[in-house]
Amino acid sequence: MILIKHAEVYVPRSIGIKDVLICGGQIEAIEDRISLPLPSCHVIDGTGKLLVPGIIDPHVHVTGGGGEGSFHTQVPPVTFSDLIQGGVTTVVGLLGTDGITRSVENLIARVKALKEEGISAYACTGSYGYPPITLTGDVKKDLVFLEEILGVKLALSDHRAPNVTTAELIRLGSDARTAGMLSGKCGIVVLHMGDAPSGLAPVREALAQTAIPAKIFHPTHVNRRQELLEEGFAFARQGGFIDLTCGIDGAGRPAACIMEAIERGIPTEQITISSDGMGSWSTYDESGSLLAIGYAPVDTVFQEIKTLVREYQLPLEKALCFATCNTARSLELFPKKGCVQTGSDADLLLLEEDLSLHTVLAGGRRMMEDHVLLQKGTYEL
């Protein structure tokens, strides 16, 4: 049992100074004052601090990404402590370009390991290719019978994409939708978006020809170029969710895109941000030869929230939404995740006034307290 005293609580909307009681991994009570003279109750002094929902990162290569520069460029798996120090309490793992040396079995095993180590973890079956690689041999069965699987991934409009037909995209969307309904999940198709001029045209065609809800297709990396961002904004107006990748600078920086969306009246509740953590970034010359390669850290979502507040003067309660309640709703995990309210999972961050990370609670367990990391992965030194 944990009692957080005198913290300013953001749900993500600020509700003032409150005491928050945590029991059995959930938020038991939020009151002006809670007094519990129980010796077994751990008390955290939140005076002068901000209590906010834990970050949900919907796009992390938990088994490691990369490999596009041959075997030596494969990125190592994500570490538990890096996620915690990035304020991430819920993660969705995916495969990327490499659906050959990496497998859905490996992905699910890593997700289960992260769950055992203490955070909430989910996954999407598939990778860039089509037909999708799966564990059961069928996307629908993966979604229905594997509790961690929320959807399926596919690459679109990219030089590494399988160049699916509209009919194939429709079939994949229908399969994800149906299996999601049968299993009580979001049943989404996460679309890695590349730089090809076709952009979101295949998605528009699929939606025009069917009754598949726009919310089934989740295009990510839509901030990689302005033309794609414009298509993403239009898709958000249709009721679709779009995901902005952190780590992109300049006009494509998520914070800059969010401020543009606010100014233009785009429904910002349809926008999420993700790290693409442990995924490789790469640059190519005009002939398609690899020039440089590296990988993304997993703390960039938290950094982008701070950028929105510090550099763009967006109120914290609005900045938080892009990594908490918006993401939870896009994954149909709200209000279990993405908010601070009675009955929600106790995935919480306690921040200093300068927004530095003081304490991290995941599932009601202390992972970090008073800036000190308390829990590491099994084999971390």
Side-chain angles (χ1 to χ4, degrees):
M1 190 177 296
I2 298 173
L3 179 60
I4 302 173
K5 300 282 291 182
H6 311 305
E8 182 175 356
V9 175
Y10 287 77
V11 299
R13 174 181 56 86
S14 175
I15 59 171
I17 306 299
K18 302 288 181 181
D19 291 355
V20 177
L21 178 65
I22 296 160
C23 184
Q26 293 187 326
I27 298 172
E28 186 69 23
I30 304 172
E31 303 289 347
D32 291 338
R33 182 174 180 180
I34 300 173
S35 297
L36 282 177
L38 298 175
S40 61
C41 184
H42 181 81
V43 178
I44 298 175
D45 184 7
T47 303
K49 298 176 178 61
L50 316 172
L51 187 68
V52 307
I55 289 171
I56 305 170
D57 193 334
H59 196 121
V60 176
H61 296 273
V62 296
T63 58
E68 296 172 23
S70 195
F71 298 103
H72 71 282
T73 64
Q74 289 189 336
V75 181
V78 70
T79 63
F80 183 76
S81 62
D82 280 348
L83 290 168
I84 295 302
Q85 291 175 112
V88 178
T89 56
T90 300
V91 65
V92 180
L94 315 93
L95 298 179
T97 313
D98 186 4
I100 300 171
T101 71
R102 295 180 172 95
S103 66
V104 176
E105 289 89 341
N106 179 221
L107 175 63
I108 295 299
R110 185 69 189 123
V111 164
K112 287 181 179 293
L114 290 170
K115 288 167 65 178
E116 289 177 355
E117 288 173 336
I119 67 171
S120 297
Y122 303 90
C124 285
T125 195
S127 59
Y128 275 21
Y130 187 90
I133 59 168
T134 64
L135 192 147
T136 65
D138 186 283
V139 166
K140 299 187 295 297
K141 289 182 178 179
D142 275 18
L143 256 162
V144 171
F145 293 115
L146 301 176
E147 64 175 345
E148 293 87 1
I149 297 292
L150 298 179
V152 58
K153 184 176 179 181
L154 176 73
L156 205 63
S157 300
D158 190 280
H159 64 100
R160 297 154 294 183
N163 299 305
V164 296
T165 65
T166 300
E168 288 169 336
L169 183 59
I170 288 171
R171 173 54 54 205
L172 193 60
S174 296
D175 286 350
R177 168 67 169 168
T178 302
M181 294 172 68
L182 292 173
S183 57
K185 300 174 183 175
C186 54
I188 57 175
V189 180
V190 175
L191 296 169
H192 162 97
M193 298 304 303
D195 288 323
S198 52
L200 282 171
V203 176
R204 290 196 298 273
E205 293 170 10
L207 293 177
Q209 295 180 29
T210 69
I212 299 172
K215 67 175 185 177
I216 296 301
F217 296 107
H218 283 222
T220 186
H221 315 317
V222 298
N223 52 322
R224 65 187 307 154
R225 60 186 181 88
Q226 186 61 38
E227 295 84 359
L228 184 58
L229 181 64
E230 291 292 341
E231 290 185 277
F233 283 167
F235 185 62
R237 289 190 186 278
Q238 283 185 264
F241 287 95
I242 59 172
D243 186 59
L244 308 175
T245 303
C246 298
I248 295 177
D249 295 323
R253 182 163 194 175
C257 296
I258 286 168
M259 298 308 295
E260 181 181 352
I262 292 172
E263 182 179 342
R264 292 171 54 178
I266 306 297
T268 55
E269 67 273 13
Q270 302 301 119
I271 300 175
T272 65
I273 58 177
S274 65
S275 68
D276 198 13
M278 311 310 288
S280 66
W281 55 261
S282 52
T283 56
Y284 301 84
D285 63 19
E286 292 182 358
S287 68
S289 298
L290 182 67
L291 295 175
I293 193 167
Y295 70 90
V298 292
D299 66 345
T300 51
V301 173
F302 185 38
Q303 300 305 325
E304 206 67 24
I305 292 171
K306 291 191 284 188
T307 295
L308 280 165
V309 175
R310 292 172 177 172
E311 297 183 24
Y312 293 86
Q313 286 77 56
L314 190 69
L316 178 61
E317 60 184 25
K318 293 185 178 181
L320 286 168
C321 293
F322 301 101
T324 59
C325 57
N326 288 8
T327 314
R329 289 191 176 98
S330 76
L331 300 174
E332 297 186 7
L333 298 175
F334 189 87
K336 178 182 179 182
K337 304 287 186 184
C339 62
V340 181
Q341 68 180 50
T342 302
S344 297
D345 286 355
D347 298 335
L348 302 167
L349 310 181
L350 195 61
L351 309 180
E352 303 282 9
E353 289 186 348
D354 65 359
L355 302 186
S356 61
L357 199 55
H358 179 279
T359 294
V360 178
L361 301 178
R365 293 173 55 195
R366 291 177 295 137
M367 302 297 171
M368 174 189 288
E369 186 173 358
D370 199 13
H371 305 278
V372 176
L373 186 67
L374 302 179
Q375 300 290 335
K376 293 184 178 181
T378 304
Y379 292 109
E380 292 186 64
L381 298 177

